[in-house]
Amino acid sequence: MPELLQPLINSFVADWLLWGIGFVVLVGCVIAGFWWKAKTQTARYLYNVAIDLYHKGRQQESLKILEKAFKKEPNYQPILYNMGVIHMELGDKDTAKNYFQLSILEVPDDTSALYNVGLIEYEDKRYEEAISSWLACIQHSEEVDPDVYYGLGLAYEGMEQWQTALEVYERNYELNPEHVDSKVAMARLAYELGDIYYAKRLLDELLEHNEDDMEALLYAALVATAKEDWDGAERFSTKLLSLDDEHAHAFNILGVVYFYKKRYEDAEECFEAALELDEEWVSPMNNLAYVYEKQGRLTHAKMRFKQVQGSEALTPQLETDSYWMINYLKDPEQAETLQEERLATEAAEEAAALEAPLYQEDTIIKNGDEELLAGIVAPTPKDENSLEDESSPAPISGEA
């Protein structure tokens, strides 16, 4: 009997060893599976997957994965920063700012987040806050991106601190001679602040390197007009129109040039063209009224001057000019008396201006369409912690 059981015992022992080995392998596979799943669900792993998706243009998917990573590790700064980036690109600026601010709490010298917060504040016209963020960005940076200084200059312009803005642009250009936008801004503010010769020097240098710089051409035309260099103003504005045949400012300046050259029909065409592009613009409206007066079309001139007076964008100077011209056109024989009244009014206005701010907000031509800032900083790829003719007593406006 024992001899019969021995083969069975030997078979059982062999099978038991095989079953034991299989069980160990199975347990090892299960443990490895749980380990791999845990590994692939860590915040750092999810972060890198999200960044890869972002660089493939799949922003929404990237954001969803970053949200999962955020729940696992809410204090991990790269997750916070890049969630801010994607929300900003998707147009949700408030949420983006919240994440950038969280990023700054974790890493106070996060210059990219500081720059983006400044950009959001600037676009919302909260200029003091933008300045604060960009100054902090400069403070924490060894090599400052020129766009930070440029944005700072724009923010000071928003606060109407023109001289400070000019100094910021000059500093930026000193540090970054290749930053053309800063040099254009320097020329623009120099012109607005009345330093015509400084503006001209800067503009000549700009146009020497790029004769098609449209903003430099615009201010070169304005500077030439201020210097009564009518040929130069005609050249610059004509060049500008060759680059953009719907440039309202260029039409207005060219109309002023033709007016002073006594080419009244050409001037009329230019001012009308400017008004076709911007029917509410008071400067070509006022200028066209002066052209009508020169052509003897007094009824048309009075109508235009009255239209100027009814404009919501009426400046004090244009209000005085149009009022005086309406009274003059009603009774030209009273021109001398009216001129005395006008001079007295202007003297009073000049005295008052000494106590007023240097410029009204709408006197400075805005620098393009406010898309000059570089934009948000992209995510990191991986985890890395007067007129000569007596009948026209006031000059028409060459202001663009």
Side-chain angles (χ1 to χ4, degrees):
M1 188 69 176
E3 294 178 358
L4 294 173
L5 291 174
Q6 191 63 41
L8 293 173
I9 293 170
N10 293 339
S11 175
F12 175 78
V13 171
D15 289 345
W16 180 84
L17 289 172
L18 289 173
W19 280 103
I21 293 171
F23 179 75
V24 170
V25 172
L26 178 61
V27 171
C29 289
V30 172
I31 293 173
F34 280 116
W35 174 82
W36 179 251
K37 183 176 181 180
K39 179 181 183 302
T40 59
Q41 292 300 311
T42 63
R44 312 299 174 94
Y45 176 81
L46 291 172
Y47 167 78
N48 284 321
V49 171
I51 295 304
D52 287 338
L53 288 171
Y54 173 86
H55 287 295
K56 292 176 182 178
R58 296 157 65 178
Q59 293 170 303
Q60 295 285 4
E61 295 176 61
S62 176
L63 184 57
K64 288 181 180 179
I65 294 177
L66 283 173
E67 288 170 349
K68 292 181 180 179
F70 172 72
K71 291 178 181 179
K72 290 180 175 291
E73 195 170 349
N75 297 325
Y76 186 45
Q77 183 269 339
I79 294 174
L80 299 170
Y81 172 75
N82 287 294
M83 288 181 74
V85 168
I86 296 177
H87 277 293
M88 192 172 180
E89 290 186 351
L90 294 175
D92 188 352
K93 295 188 296 183
D94 291 337
T95 302
K97 187 171 73 171
N98 289 336
Y99 280 112
F100 289 137
Q101 290 173 333
L102 288 173
S103 178
I104 294 166
L105 285 175
E106 296 300 324
V107 181
D109 60 353
D110 181 1
T111 55
S112 295
L114 286 166
Y115 174 78
N116 288 340
V117 169
L119 183 59
I120 292 171
E121 301 287 13
Y122 175 80
E123 290 177 346
D124 288 340
K125 298 184 179 180
R126 294 192 289 264
Y127 301 121
E128 289 188 20
E129 291 84 351
I131 289 169
S132 178
S133 292
W134 285 331
L135 287 176
C137 190
I138 292 171
Q139 180 183 356
H140 292 299
S141 302
E142 294 182 3
E143 295 182 3
V144 182
D145 189 311
D147 287 322
V148 178
Y149 269 111
Y150 185 60
L152 193 60
L154 291 174
Y156 278 118
E157 284 197 65
M159 295 182 66
E160 301 182 17
Q161 296 184 20
W162 316 119
Q163 188 62 44
T164 303
L166 177 59
E167 291 170 3
V168 170
Y169 293 134
E170 290 173 331
R171 176 60 174 164
N172 195 23
Y173 187 69
E174 179 185 347
L175 295 171
N176 307 282
E178 302 301 320
H179 199 262
V180 176
D181 286 339
S182 286
K183 194 168 187 177
V184 173
M186 289 160 58
R188 172 168 54 82
L189 280 180
Y191 166 79
E192 299 289 357
L193 292 169
D195 196 342
I196 302 300
Y197 293 96
Y198 181 34
K200 184 179 185 304
R201 177 171 66 79
L202 293 169
L203 292 165
D204 287 346
E205 292 172 359
L206 283 163
L207 293 173
E208 183 179 355
H209 288 90
N210 181 10
E211 62 181 10
D212 292 337
D213 187 317
M214 295 181 65
E215 191 167 15
L217 284 167
L218 172 59
Y219 277 92
L222 287 168
V223 167
T225 302
K227 296 178 64 181
E228 299 186 4
D229 175 12
W230 307 122
D231 291 338
E234 181 176 4
R235 182 174 68 256
F236 292 128
S237 52
T238 300
K239 174 67 174 180
L240 197 52
L241 286 169
S242 72
L243 298 171
D244 179 5
D245 61 2
E246 293 187 353
H247 200 296
H249 294 297
F251 275 119
N252 190 47
I253 296 169
L254 191 56
V256 173
V257 171
Y258 289 152
F259 181 90
Y260 280 98
K261 288 187 172 185
K262 300 183 180 182
R263 294 168 55 179
Y264 300 125
E265 290 184 2
D266 293 332
E268 179 182 354
E269 289 182 6
C270 289
F271 295 139
E272 287 179 343
L275 286 171
E276 284 181 8
L277 295 166
D278 186 353
E279 62 182 10
E280 301 298 326
W281 190 13
V282 69
S283 181
M285 193 185 301
N286 183 73
N287 295 341
L288 189 57
Y290 277 103
V291 171
Y292 289 152
E293 188 273 330
K294 285 292 187 181
Q295 293 173 328
R297 299 159 63 184
L298 304 186
T299 300
H300 286 78
K302 283 188 286 187
M303 290 176 61
R304 278 295 182 183
F305 282 123
K306 288 181 179 179
Q307 187 178 3
V308 169
Q309 286 200 314
S311 172
E312 294 181 357
L314 186 63
T315 65
Q317 182 63 51
L318 289 179
E319 182 177 16
T320 300
D321 289 348
S322 57
Y323 172 80
W324 192 90
M325 285 301 297
I326 290 171
N327 288 313
Y328 166 76
L329 291 170
K330 288 179 179 178
D331 188 1
E333 294 182 1
Q334 297 296 316
E336 185 175 346
T337 301
L338 290 168
Q339 179 70 343
E340 291 176 356
E341 293 177 358
R342 175 186 175 85
L343 292 174
T345 301
E346 289 181 349
E349 290 174 350
E350 289 177 3
L354 294 175
E355 302 176 0
L358 187 58
Y359 289 104
Q360 297 298 322
E361 185 175 357
D362 59 354
T363 61
I364 300 240
I365 299 173
K366 296 305 178 183
N367 206 355
D369 55 3
E370 293 189 354
E371 292 182 355
L372 294 170
L373 294 179
I376 61 178
V377 179
T380 53
K382 294 291 180 184
D383 178 7
E384 299 175 359
N385 275 340
S386 107
L387 293 181
E388 298 175 0
D389 194 312
E390 294 179 357
S391 65
S392 296
I396 64 175
S397 174
E399 181 180 351

